Amino acid sequence: MPADTYSASIDDVAKREAVASSIPELVQHALGRLGEDPGALFEANVLEAIKAVRLADPAGYQRIRAQAKRSASVGELDRLTAAGKVDSDQSSMFPHVEPWAKPVDGGELVRDLCRAIKEHVAADKPTILAAALWCMHTWCMDALTVSPLAHITAPEKRCGKTVLLTVMSELVCRALPVANISPAALFRSMEMWQPTLLIDEADTFLKENDEARGLINSGLYRKTAFVIRVEGDDHVPTQFRTWGAKVVCGIGKLADTIEDRSIPLRLRRKVAGESVAKIRHAESDQWDALRQRMARWAEDNRDDVAIARPTPASGLNDRAQDCWEPLLAIADLAGEAWAKAARNAALALHGAEEESQSIGVELLRDIRDVFERRGSSRLTSALLLEELTSDEEAPWATWAKGRPMTQRHLAARLVDFRIKPANMRTSDGIRKGYDLADFRDAFDRYLSLSVEHPPVSATPLQPHNGAGLSVNGSKSAIRYTEAQPLPATSQSVACSGSAKTVADGVAGLNTSQTAPLSQCSGVADVHPSLGKKEEGTKVERERIDI
């Protein structure tokens, strides 16, 4: 071997020995066993040694990582060895809160929280109370199975949203305020720190970020608050926890799925003469004392909160009841007065949210109005769309990028409610249309009947006997309420047609014949506003537009 080559090989050996000397012997031994034992690096004592190298010697850690890459998941190694570094920083991110020395009265604590929030935020009483109870629930997360979002919203800027967010960051457990956050950072933060995440300016990035919205939505129920992501160079599927309290703050409405999982904290701009103290001038001792008292209250009442099954606030939907459950449980433990006030707040805040409706429910409501307005039990698709798009303020007139909704658009929206158009025989031939009976299930499930229009019993459309009323071509039908029995007749019931022409250009039949009684339908419930009573009789006459 030439002298220069021999010298170079000696140098290489020296370099390798120098590199190896920076790696603890325990880790070197584990690296040597990777070929026969892929878990050698992940033994507890080996991981502790690698954590120490990672903190003290980043270059040494990269050398370990390079050798481990051949036989082990370096992504998992990164995650497990990062814990020591993260733990060392948590004391500064989340200062320890020493629980209050004496037992804390829940009613007095809620009162003082409300006063502290009201001192800095101009808001109505339901919003103040809901914010106070929500802050208390963050100290009981390990005892809860549901944790609603807190949605701080206002119609315009300068309404105090950021002020309320700042106040809540002083009161919640393990506060982590952010003005923006990526989806990856969101689920990793929740997994690593279990913080209370306070997201400002949510309206600027959540509306167009489907992944971030999905992650935020996933954290409502503890049992399902997980997502799966691949990790490391080997793309190992890894479970991350998204369970944790979260506040989202922004102008106007956010996605329906977020609002559906939220306690709404709505703010308005101050009026002349209305003043509040500036949050930046507040004494830190005030917040320290409140946090200590909440920590002690949660410690003493955690078991009671865990088993609580509070009486729901009447008038809210099932999801809203879930959202308010932990807050009502805390209010019940705080005393009867707070329990009543919390339920009133739920109705005032979340009850108002019930007034907003999805586009699908809005469509159902407008279709019901068309049926009622025309007094019909059947409508052709063309006529139904003509009625829907005649209202310039409704979305249907400009549904398709400024153009009116089409029959295909209408059918696509209604299929979600299991409603499909059917063929109907008219004087112009077979046309697509909708029968009121097909909507009744959706109306019952998604729309609430008004008290002044309860259902009454009536017979539906009479069958076709060749020339009289028919399912395919009739214009009107006679309906009988339960208070008025069918006319006494041995053979038949008269079912009259009508010569009236409807708006879609289909002429009504001008003949009238008798249908056999055996072919007439039974009695069914129909909303009374869909029929018109004849003067001097209890017989109701129903017009059918096809």
Side-chain angles (χ1 to χ4, degrees):
M1 179 183 295
D4 56 346
T5 304
Y6 178 78
S7 175
S9 61
I10 292 294
D11 291 341
D12 290 342
V13 171
K15 289 179 181 178
R16 286 197 296 270
E17 289 178 350
V19 168
S21 65
S22 65
I23 301 175
E25 184 176 349
L26 179 64
V27 178
Q28 291 183 42
H29 181 65
L31 288 170
R33 292 190 295 118
L34 278 179
E36 56 190 40
D37 181 9
L41 277 182
F42 299 97
E43 295 174 357
N45 56 344
V46 178
L47 281 176
E48 288 299 322
I50 296 175
K51 288 179 185 179
V53 173
R54 184 170 184 177
L55 285 172
D57 183 10
Y61 175 72
Q62 289 302 319
R63 295 184 185 107
I64 295 172
R65 197 174 184 276
Q67 294 183 54
K69 185 176 180 179
R70 302 165 191 161
S71 306
S73 170
V74 294
E76 186 69 3
L77 184 64
D78 289 342
R79 188 176 75 85
L80 294 174
T81 56
K85 186 173 189 294
V86 172
D87 289 344
S88 66
D89 293 339
Q90 282 203 42
S91 59
S92 59
M93 290 183 63
F94 309 109
H96 174 69
V97 176
E98 186 68 30
W100 198 250
K102 299 178 181 180
V104 174
D105 180 86
E108 293 179 0
L109 177 58
V110 175
R111 180 199 62 197
D112 292 345
L113 286 170
C114 290
R115 287 177 177 174
I117 297 172
K118 187 177 181 181
E119 183 181 355
H120 303 284
V121 180
D124 54 24
K125 291 181 179 179
T127 295
I128 297 293
L129 177 57
L133 294 173
W134 194 92
C135 290
M136 288 184 68
H137 110 281
T138 66
W139 295 87
C140 305
M141 291 298 293
D142 55 345
L144 298 173
T145 58
V146 60
S147 175
L149 300 168
H151 179 205
I152 303 174
T153 183
E156 292 290 340
K157 58 186 178 182
R158 300 200 309 275
C159 291
K161 299 183 301 299
T162 302
V163 174
L164 177 55
L165 187 74
T166 305
V167 170
M168 294 178 73
S169 71
E170 296 284 359
L171 296 173
V172 299
C173 181
R174 299 175 67 82
L176 182 61
V178 297
N180 196 311
I181 188 168
S182 69
L186 195 154
F187 67 76
R188 291 178 187 277
S189 298
M190 301 307 296
E191 169 70 27
M192 191 171 292
W193 297 317
Q194 296 87 55
T196 297
L197 193 63
L198 301 104
I199 307 173
D200 201 2
E201 309 296 340
D203 54 304
T204 62
F205 72 96
L206 276 185
K207 287 184 179 180
E208 306 300 327
N209 195 327
D210 292 339
E211 185 179 4
R213 288 203 307 271
L215 291 170
I216 290 174
N217 291 339
S218 69
L220 177 62
Y221 301 106
R222 176 193 287 272
K223 198 169 185 178
T224 59
F226 297 96
V227 297
I228 302 293
R229 295 293 186 271
V230 294
E231 277 284 280
D233 296 340
D234 297 333
H235 304 292
V236 178
T238 305
Q239 186 183 71
F240 291 89
R241 177 172 49 184
T242 57
W243 167 255
K246 305 176 191 71
V247 185
V248 289
C249 178
I251 295 175
K253 288 176 65 66
L254 294 178
D256 289 342
T257 53
I258 287 182
E259 296 197 348
D260 192 43
R261 292 163 168 79
S262 300
I263 301 297
L265 305 176
R266 289 187 296 273
L267 302 177
R268 294 173 294 181
R269 191 174 292 176
K270 297 194 300 292
V271 297
E274 193 174 13
S275 62
V276 292
K278 292 188 179 298
I279 182 64
R280 64 177 184 271
H281 296 160
E283 295 291 336
S284 61
D285 291 347
Q286 172 192 15
W287 309 120
D288 292 340
L290 288 171
R291 284 194 297 268
Q292 289 178 313
R293 291 170 66 190
M294 283 188 285
R296 176 59 188 264
W297 186 90
E299 187 178 274
D300 292 343
N301 294 273
R302 185 170 284 107
D303 292 341
D304 292 333
V305 171
I307 63 175
R309 299 294 183 268
T311 303
S314 60
L316 304 185
N317 63 40
D318 290 344
R319 178 60 62 77
Q321 299 287 12
D322 286 350
C323 289
W324 278 92
E325 181 179 287
L327 277 63
L328 295 180
I330 293 171
D332 287 350
L333 292 172
E336 184 177 351
W338 291 114
K340 182 178 180 180
R343 285 163 176 79
N344 290 337
L347 294 177
L349 293 173
H350 217 123
E353 292 289 296
E354 295 289 278
E355 297 173 2
S356 63
Q357 55 192 16
S358 69
I359 195 68
V361 172
E362 185 177 356
L363 178 61
L364 284 178
R365 193 178 302 278
D366 287 353
I367 289 174
R368 186 182 69 176
D369 290 345
V370 172
F371 275 112
E372 291 181 356
R373 187 164 59 248
R374 298 193 66 89
S376 304
S377 68
R378 291 188 302 151
L379 293 168
T380 61
S381 299
L383 179 58
L384 179 57
L385 281 170
E386 180 183 330
E387 290 281 342
L388 290 173
T389 57
S390 64
D391 185 354
E392 296 180 354
E393 295 184 358
W396 327 122
T398 56
W399 180 258
K401 298 181 179 180
R403 295 188 296 274
M405 174 180 275
T406 66
Q407 293 188 31
R408 178 173 294 182
H409 295 144
L410 178 62
R413 293 300 309 186
L414 291 177
V415 74
D416 292 338
F417 299 102
R418 300 183 180 181
I419 299 169
K420 297 180 179 179
N423 290 329
M424 294 182 175
R425 183 180 301 145
T426 73
S427 59
D428 288 345
I430 303 298
R431 301 174 66 179
K432 291 288 186 182
Y434 294 91
D435 194 311
L436 173 63
D438 295 334
F439 285 88
R440 285 178 183 153
D441 181 71
F443 288 169
D444 289 342
R445 293 179 185 276
Y446 300 100
L447 306 179
S448 56
L449 291 174
S450 58
V451 176
E452 60 270 19
H453 292 108
V456 296
S457 184
T459 60
L461 187 64
Q462 303 300 315
H464 178 48
N465 70 349
L469 278 185
S470 74
V471 173
N472 294 319
S474 60
K475 299 305 298 178
S476 64
I478 296 177
R479 305 185 301 172
Y480 299 92
T481 65
E482 288 183 332
Q484 175 68 34
L486 293 173
T489 175
S490 60
Q491 297 293 334
S492 63
V493 176
C495 300
S496 300
S498 171
K500 187 170 182 178
T501 300
V502 295
D504 64 346
V506 180
L509 300 177
N510 56 10
T511 60
S512 175
Q513 293 189 12
T514 299
L517 184 60
S518 61
Q519 295 183 15
C520 290
S521 302
V523 176
D525 285 339
V526 178
H527 199 276
S529 61
L530 299 180
K532 298 179 181 178
K533 289 188 177 180
E534 288 188 0
E535 260 186 87
T537 179
K538 292 185 179 179
V539 177
E540 296 181 18
R541 195 173 291 278
E542 177 187 43
R543 218 177 88 249
I544 306 169
D545 291 342
I546 59 170

